[in-house]
Protein backbone atom coordinates (compact mmCIF):
# COMPACT_ATOMS: atom_id res chain seq x y z
CA UNK A 1 0.00 0.00 0.00
CA UNK A 2 1.50 3.31 -1.09
CA UNK A 3 2.12 6.01 1.48
CA UNK A 4 0.04 9.16 1.02
CA UNK A 5 2.38 12.02 1.88
CA UNK A 6 1.55 15.33 3.50
CA UNK A 7 3.40 18.55 2.67
CA UNK A 8 6.80 18.57 4.35
CA UNK A 9 6.76 14.84 5.12
CA UNK A 10 9.89 12.75 4.55
CA UNK A 11 10.02 8.97 4.09
CA UNK A 12 12.60 6.26 3.44
CA UNK A 13 11.97 4.78 0.01
CA UNK A 14 13.59 1.45 0.85
CA UNK A 15 11.50 1.00 4.01
CA UNK A 16 8.27 1.80 2.20
CA UNK A 17 9.22 -0.47 -0.71
CA UNK A 18 10.19 -3.33 1.60
CA UNK A 19 13.75 -3.51 0.29
CA UNK A 20 16.40 -1.64 -1.64
CA UNK A 21 15.11 0.46 -4.48
CA UNK A 22 17.34 0.93 -7.50
CA UNK A 23 15.01 1.50 -10.45
CA UNK A 24 12.22 3.98 -9.81
CA UNK A 25 9.74 5.88 -11.91
CA UNK A 26 8.70 9.33 -10.82
CA UNK A 27 5.47 10.66 -12.21
CA UNK A 28 4.16 14.19 -12.02
CA UNK A 29 0.54 14.60 -13.01
CA UNK A 30 -2.49 16.88 -12.98
CA UNK A 31 -5.87 17.49 -14.52
CA UNK A 32 -6.72 20.46 -16.69
CA UNK A 33 -9.57 22.31 -15.00
CA UNK A 34 -12.34 22.53 -17.58
CA UNK A 35 -16.07 22.39 -17.95
CA UNK A 36 -17.77 19.04 -17.24
CA UNK A 37 -18.16 18.22 -20.92
CA UNK A 38 -14.46 18.78 -21.54
CA UNK A 39 -13.13 17.29 -18.31
CA UNK A 40 -9.98 15.33 -19.01
CA UNK A 41 -7.76 13.55 -16.54
CA UNK A 42 -4.13 13.63 -17.52
CA UNK A 43 -0.76 12.43 -16.30
CA UNK A 44 1.33 15.20 -17.79
CA UNK A 45 -1.06 14.87 -20.72
CA UNK A 46 -0.35 18.38 -21.97
CA UNK A 47 3.40 18.22 -21.41
CA UNK A 48 5.58 19.89 -24.02
CA UNK A 49 2.63 21.45 -25.83
CA UNK A 50 0.63 18.27 -26.38
CA UNK A 51 -3.01 18.82 -27.18
CA UNK A 52 -4.54 21.76 -28.96
CA UNK A 53 -7.10 24.47 -28.63
CA UNK A 54 -7.88 26.85 -25.81
CA UNK A 55 -8.39 24.05 -23.29
CA UNK A 56 -4.77 22.86 -23.39
CA UNK A 57 -2.07 23.96 -20.99
CA UNK A 58 1.62 23.49 -21.72
CA UNK A 59 3.09 22.13 -18.50
CA UNK A 60 6.70 20.95 -18.36
CA UNK A 61 8.37 18.66 -15.85
CA UNK A 62 12.01 19.01 -14.87
CA UNK A 63 14.46 17.19 -12.61
CA UNK A 64 17.49 19.08 -11.30
CA UNK A 65 20.45 17.18 -9.83
CA UNK A 66 22.31 18.90 -6.96
CA UNK A 67 25.58 18.28 -5.14
CA UNK A 68 26.20 18.77 -1.40
CA UNK A 69 26.94 22.47 -1.94
CA UNK A 70 23.47 22.99 -3.46
CA UNK A 71 25.07 23.52 -6.85
CA UNK A 72 23.15 22.23 -9.87
CA UNK A 73 25.08 19.39 -11.53
CA UNK A 74 22.66 18.59 -14.36
CA UNK A 75 19.06 19.10 -15.40
CA UNK A 76 16.57 16.91 -17.22
CA UNK A 77 13.90 18.94 -19.01
CA UNK A 78 12.28 19.33 -22.42
CA UNK A 79 15.56 20.46 -24.03
CA UNK A 80 17.52 17.56 -22.47
CA UNK A 81 15.51 14.40 -21.86
CA UNK A 82 18.48 12.41 -20.49
CA UNK A 83 21.04 13.25 -17.83
CA UNK A 84 24.63 13.44 -19.03
CA UNK A 85 25.53 10.37 -16.95
CA UNK A 86 22.53 8.41 -18.26
CA UNK A 87 21.02 7.70 -14.84
CA UNK A 88 17.83 9.74 -15.41
CA UNK A 89 15.69 9.55 -18.55
CA UNK A 90 12.48 11.40 -19.32
CA UNK A 91 10.27 9.32 -21.61
CA UNK A 92 9.07 12.41 -23.45
CA UNK A 93 5.65 13.57 -24.49
CA UNK A 94 2.59 11.37 -24.83
CA UNK A 95 0.24 13.56 -26.85
CA UNK A 96 -2.83 11.37 -26.60
CA UNK A 97 -2.93 10.41 -22.94
CA UNK A 98 -4.97 7.36 -23.98
CA UNK A 99 -5.20 4.29 -21.79
CA UNK A 100 -4.68 3.66 -18.13
CA UNK A 101 -1.54 4.26 -16.16
CA UNK A 102 1.19 6.83 -16.54
CA UNK A 103 1.29 8.94 -19.66
CA UNK A 104 4.56 10.66 -18.72
CA UNK A 105 7.36 9.17 -16.66
CA UNK A 106 10.85 10.16 -15.50
CA UNK A 107 12.91 7.00 -15.02
CA UNK A 108 15.62 7.14 -12.36
CA UNK A 109 18.33 4.53 -11.84
CA UNK A 110 19.34 5.32 -8.26
CA UNK A 111 22.29 2.92 -8.46
CA UNK A 112 23.81 5.01 -11.27
CA UNK A 113 23.38 8.46 -9.74
CA UNK A 114 26.92 9.91 -9.46
CA UNK A 115 28.37 9.92 -5.95
CA UNK A 116 28.62 13.73 -5.88
CA UNK A 117 24.85 14.08 -6.47
CA UNK A 118 22.93 14.17 -3.21
CA UNK A 119 19.46 15.30 -4.28
CA UNK A 120 17.05 15.31 -7.21
CA UNK A 121 14.42 18.07 -7.18
CA UNK A 122 11.33 17.67 -9.36
CA UNK A 123 9.37 20.66 -10.62
CA UNK A 124 6.53 21.54 -13.00
CA UNK A 125 6.05 24.84 -14.77
CA UNK A 126 3.76 26.45 -17.32
CA UNK A 127 5.91 27.32 -20.31
CA UNK A 128 3.11 29.37 -21.88
CA UNK A 129 2.52 31.32 -18.68
CA UNK A 130 -0.92 29.92 -17.88
CA UNK A 131 -1.47 29.84 -14.13
CA UNK A 132 -2.34 26.92 -11.90
CA UNK A 133 -5.85 28.32 -11.67
CA UNK A 134 -6.37 26.17 -14.79
CA UNK A 135 -4.82 23.10 -13.14
CA UNK A 136 -6.26 20.81 -10.49
CA UNK A 137 -5.52 17.48 -8.83
CA UNK A 138 -1.75 17.86 -9.20
CA UNK A 139 0.27 14.96 -7.80
CA UNK A 140 3.61 13.24 -7.89
CA UNK A 141 4.33 9.60 -7.15
CA UNK A 142 7.22 7.18 -6.87
CA UNK A 143 6.86 3.73 -8.42
CA UNK A 144 9.18 0.74 -7.96
CA UNK A 145 10.12 0.02 -11.58
CA UNK A 146 10.97 -3.61 -10.78
CA UNK A 147 7.39 -4.54 -9.90
CA UNK A 148 5.42 -1.40 -10.87
CA UNK A 149 4.18 -1.01 -7.29
CA UNK A 150 3.46 2.53 -6.17
CA UNK A 151 5.64 3.38 -3.17
CA UNK A 152 4.48 6.89 -2.31
CA UNK A 153 2.10 9.52 -3.63
CA UNK A 154 1.84 13.21 -2.85
CA UNK A 155 -1.40 14.98 -3.80
CA UNK A 156 -1.40 18.76 -4.03
CA UNK A 157 -4.41 21.04 -3.90
CA UNK A 158 -2.66 24.36 -4.50
CA UNK A 159 -4.52 26.18 -7.25
CA UNK A 160 -3.71 29.83 -7.75
CA UNK A 161 -1.95 32.50 -9.75
CA UNK A 162 1.46 30.77 -9.65
CA UNK A 163 2.88 29.32 -12.85
CA UNK A 164 5.14 26.66 -11.35
CA UNK A 165 5.56 24.31 -8.41
CA UNK A 166 8.51 22.70 -6.66
CA UNK A 167 6.92 19.29 -6.18
CA UNK A 168 9.28 16.92 -4.37
CA UNK A 169 12.84 15.89 -3.69
CA UNK A 170 14.53 12.48 -3.72
CA UNK A 171 17.75 12.62 -1.72
CA UNK A 172 20.49 10.59 -0.05
CA UNK A 173 20.64 10.41 3.74
CA UNK A 174 22.80 7.96 5.70
CA UNK A 175 23.40 5.84 2.60
CA UNK A 176 19.72 5.47 1.73
CA UNK A 177 17.34 7.30 -0.57
CA UNK A 178 14.47 9.29 0.88
CA UNK A 179 11.63 11.38 -0.50
CA UNK A 180 10.56 14.81 0.73
CA UNK A 181 7.15 16.21 -0.26
CA UNK A 182 7.76 19.93 -0.88
CA UNK A 183 4.75 21.41 -2.69
CA UNK A 184 5.94 25.02 -2.83
CA UNK A 185 4.48 27.41 -5.40
CA UNK A 186 6.71 29.49 -7.66
CA UNK A 187 6.67 31.39 -10.93
CA UNK A 188 8.61 30.86 -14.13
CA UNK A 189 8.47 29.48 -17.66
CA UNK A 190 11.39 27.03 -17.31
CA UNK A 191 13.38 25.52 -14.45
CA UNK A 192 16.01 28.24 -15.01
CA UNK A 193 13.50 30.82 -13.77
CA UNK A 194 12.71 28.63 -10.77
CA UNK A 195 16.24 28.18 -9.47
CA UNK A 196 15.92 30.80 -6.68
CA UNK A 197 12.88 28.86 -5.43
CA UNK A 198 14.38 25.41 -6.02
CA UNK A 199 17.85 25.84 -4.50
CA UNK A 200 16.76 26.27 -0.84
CA UNK A 201 15.14 22.82 -1.07
CA UNK A 202 18.13 21.10 -2.70
Amino acid sequence: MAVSLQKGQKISLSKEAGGDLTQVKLGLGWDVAQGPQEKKGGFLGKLFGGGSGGDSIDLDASCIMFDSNKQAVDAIWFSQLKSKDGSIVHTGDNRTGDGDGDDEVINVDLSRIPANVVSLVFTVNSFTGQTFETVENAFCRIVNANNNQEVARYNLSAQGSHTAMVMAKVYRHNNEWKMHAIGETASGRTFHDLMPAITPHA
Side-chain angles (χ1 to χ4, degrees):
M1 180 98 180
V3 176
S4 181
L5 297 175
Q6 303 299 313
K7 182 174 180 175
Q9 187 175 350
K10 301 175 182 178
I11 60 165
S12 164
L13 293 179
S14 58
K15 285 180 183 174
E16 300 303 335
D20 284 343
L21 271 184
T22 54
Q23 305 280 340
V24 299
K25 302 175 183 179
L26 190 129
L28 305 173
W30 48 79
D31 293 334
V32 178
Q34 301 177 76
Q37 75 281 2
E38 292 293 332
K39 199 73 169 178
K40 298 175 185 175
F43 190 97
L44 295 185
K46 303 298 183 211
L47 185 72
F48 311 149
S52 61
D55 290 328
S56 67
I57 179 169
D58 183 6
L59 293 177
D60 300 322
S62 303
C63 172
I64 302 90
M65 307 169 78
F66 286 93
D67 64 17
S68 59
N69 295 316
K70 294 195 175 188
Q71 296 295 309
V73 175
D74 201 356
I76 299 82
W77 61 305
F78 66 76
S79 285
Q80 181 185 301
L81 294 177
K82 185 176 183 179
S83 62
K84 295 180 179 71
D85 57 74
S87 62
I88 301 176
V89 180
H90 196 302
T91 59
D93 190 12
N94 177 332
R95 289 174 178 262
T96 66
D98 289 340
D100 296 327
D102 301 341
D103 295 322
E104 300 286 345
V105 175
I106 297 176
N107 292 300
V108 181
D109 185 343
L110 295 173
S111 67
R112 292 181 60 193
I113 299 292
N116 67 313
V117 173
V118 299
S119 65
L120 315 171
V121 179
F122 295 87
T123 67
V124 292
N125 56 270
S126 171
F127 183 74
T128 49
Q130 290 156 296
T131 72
F132 273 61
E133 288 165 334
T134 60
V135 176
E136 60 186 20
N137 303 325
F139 69 89
C140 63
R141 69 182 197 134
I142 290 273
V143 175
N144 183 344
N146 293 320
N147 58 14
N148 281 322
Q149 293 295 307
E150 185 174 296
V151 178
R153 175 182 286 259
Y154 177 35
N155 295 314
L156 303 100
S157 58
Q159 282 186 282
S161 59
H162 53 284
T163 57
M165 183 166 280
V166 182
M167 300 280 275
K169 174 174 74 170
V170 173
Y171 65 102
R172 297 186 209 256
H173 181 70
N174 292 337
N175 296 316
E176 67 174 324
W177 287 99
K178 296 194 170 188
M179 180 178 180
H180 178 199
I182 298 172
E184 293 292 338
T185 60
S187 292
R189 295 177 67 240
T190 71
F191 82 88
H192 299 94
D193 302 330
L194 305 182
M195 289 306 288
I198 296 170
T199 303
H201 298 288

